[in-house]
Amino acid sequence: DLHSFPTRRSSDLDLGREPWHIFDGASGTGNLWESNNKFPHYIGFYNPTPILIQSISFNFLLSGGHYYSPTSYRLEYSQDGSNYYSLSSQTQSSNPSSISFTYPVLAYFKYYRLYMTEGGRSGYIAVNECHVSGYYETTSYTYYWNTSVT
């Protein structure tokens, strides 16, 4: 259950806007993760059993007519939490309401993160929710899960 995964962050944030909010199933200004330092920013998650992501999406805060989302970003993976590799990089001309990645079967990893280098609103990034679907790696079974399903 990804709701209980510890998340990692790169920068300071406002109290009450901790990283775990991206998996809490609620959205809005009180239920989000916000990074308010200079770029780069990242947010991610870890599972001790390697997981294979089939799809992942991040939804961003809309406030004052602006999305607090990146315009330059990449999805990264790691086995050790120190050495990260890029799965996909994207650059957009405007701040999107959400970012989605979809993948065929690649490999199982323990760490995933969204690494952001530009965008936001005055340097702020605010993620309302993250939805992930994929598989757990085990000795004899592969378990499917989807955080969008309650």
Side-chain angles (χ1 to χ4, degrees), residues 53-80:
I53 288 182
Q54 284 191 310
S55 67
I56 183 169
S57 65
F58 298 88
N59 299 315
F60 299 95
L61 174 68
L62 172 62
S63 180
H66 302 281
Y67 286 103
Y68 286 68
S69 58
T71 54
S72 183
Y73 50 89
R74 63 184 179 257
L75 185 65
E76 298 180 327
Y77 65 91
S78 174
Q79 286 292 30
D80 60 13

Side-chain angles (χ1 to χ4, degrees), residues 20-31:
W20 60 267
H21 282 293
I22 69 169
F23 294 114
D24 68 3
S27 62
T29 57
N31 298 322

Side-chain angles (χ1 to χ4, degrees), residues 5-22:
F5 283 10
T7 52
R8 308 182 73 134
R9 63 178 172 81
S10 64
S11 53
D12 295 334
L13 52 101
D14 294 334
L15 264 175
R17 298 186 180 191
E18 290 84 7
W20 60 267
H21 282 293
I22 69 169

Side-chain angles (χ1 to χ4, degrees), residues 38-52:
K38 295 179 182 177
F39 286 98
H41 301 299
Y42 66 83
I43 187 165
F45 53 90
Y46 162 80
N47 193 55
T49 301
I51 55 178
L52 172 83

